[in-house]
Amino acid sequence: MLRVPGVEIYNILCPLFWDKLEDFFDAVHSVQRLPQPLTVVRDPEDNKILESALVAEADYLISSDRDLLILESYDEVEIVTPEVFWNKYSDSKGGGWQEWVGQIMNM
């Protein structure tokens, strides 16, 4: 069983659970690299993450990586810790983590 406080309980062996999980992953897509790789932070792997956020036109890049967090934002992407993101999400949507998980499970 998958148990998330305030959200329906799903038996992971249930076909409905797998259908919802498949729907979620169907919504995920890969992004292409930028024509000119970034060299914004010292770690090339961090630059790849930042590139992905830019190409995907993400609003947020959620990370605990200090090299990324020190930027605070890059182009139109706000770089925040998971805690900061959940606080913002909770403030704007009213339910935070539980609501977000509920939305994913109800896709």
Side-chain angles (χ1 to χ4, degrees):
M1 293 280 206
L2 173 65
R3 296 180 188 272
V4 178
V7 178
E8 277 185 66
I9 297 173
Y10 291 91
N11 181 336
I12 62 171
L13 300 177
C14 173
L16 179 61
F17 176 82
W18 290 105
D19 289 345
K20 289 178 182 290
L21 192 60
E22 187 174 302
D23 290 344
F24 172 76
F25 282 107
D26 284 345
V28 174
H29 63 279
S30 62
V31 294
Q32 300 298 317
R33 301 232 16 222
L34 293 174
Q36 181 65 35
L38 293 178
T39 55
V40 177
V41 291
R42 62 184 171 173
D43 183 350
E45 296 303 311
D46 290 344
N47 284 309
K48 289 178 189 176
I49 299 297
L50 187 53
E51 288 174 21
S52 296
L54 291 172
V55 172
E57 298 178 353
D59 295 321
Y60 293 96
L61 172 55
I62 304 165
S63 177
S64 295
D65 186 280
R66 290 181 188 161
D67 289 337
L68 289 170
L69 289 169
I70 201 162
L71 296 173
E72 296 181 359
S73 67
Y74 187 83
D75 202 350
E76 298 291 320
V77 179
E78 189 172 347
I79 304 167
V80 297
T81 64
E83 180 181 24
V84 168
F85 176 77
W86 288 122
N87 289 337
K88 286 183 178 220
Y89 190 86
S90 182
D91 288 345
S92 68
K93 301 290 183 184
W97 167 254
Q98 293 174 358
E99 185 173 319
W100 186 81
V101 170
Q103 288 175 1
I104 289 174
M105 299 308 287
N106 291 318
M107 290 180 76

